[in-house]
Amino acid sequence: MKKSIYIFGLIATLLSCKGQTESDKRFSAEGEFAYNVQLAHFETGQVESRGECTKEIFIKEFEKFKWKEQLTQANINLSVSPTISVINNESKNEMGISVVGNNENDYGFWIFYGKDGFMNSIEVYDEKSVIPYVEKFFLLDFKTLDNEFKN
């Protein structure tokens, strides 16, 4: 995948967080975990809160998310990177998964982790590689995630 696409995806994702100073503006405060989505046709900073979730609900939503379709639309629109995000309401740790790439045959994911305004990222190339990070997040294994995302 071309580096310029990654840079565009990173910039679009970071800009989508600009102006958001409180996690509760983007996530439901109900439940231990809550999630939201940002679709290709959304404005910068616009998300759709989906409410509280469990690990099973979030993974199911991640797996059924139309990543290739959303990537194509984002590339046509030159818009935000389609993203699904989750927060642990007690710790305020967040994880966001964004798709970036050239087309449906040449794409990958940026996984963002941290607290609002202080996110680090990891790049992975397929959907199956995302799941172990999601599982650690829902196990509240923030120490391991902190170490993995600092490298």
Side-chain angles (χ1 to χ4, degrees), residues 49-88:
S49 177
R50 297 278 176 97
E52 62 183 294
C53 68
T54 61
K55 176 179 79 170
E56 293 76 20
I57 290 170
F58 188 79
I59 290 175
K60 182 179 177 180
E61 290 295 314
F62 170 77
E63 290 174 340
K64 75 177 192 177
F65 198 89
K66 296 178 179 175
W67 294 109
K68 293 177 183 180
E69 178 183 303
Q70 284 291 303
L71 174 63
T72 299
Q73 193 62 46
N75 286 341
I76 291 169
N77 296 347
L78 298 176
S79 63
V80 298
S81 292
T83 303
I84 183 170
S85 300
V86 62
I87 190 170
N88 172 257

Side-chain angles (χ1 to χ4, degrees), residues 12-31:
T13 300
L14 293 175
L15 287 175
S16 71
C17 296
K18 188 176 182 181
Q20 297 290 338
T21 57
E22 297 178 26
S23 295
D24 61 357
K25 291 182 181 178
R26 298 178 289 123
F27 295 97
S28 168
E30 300 296 318

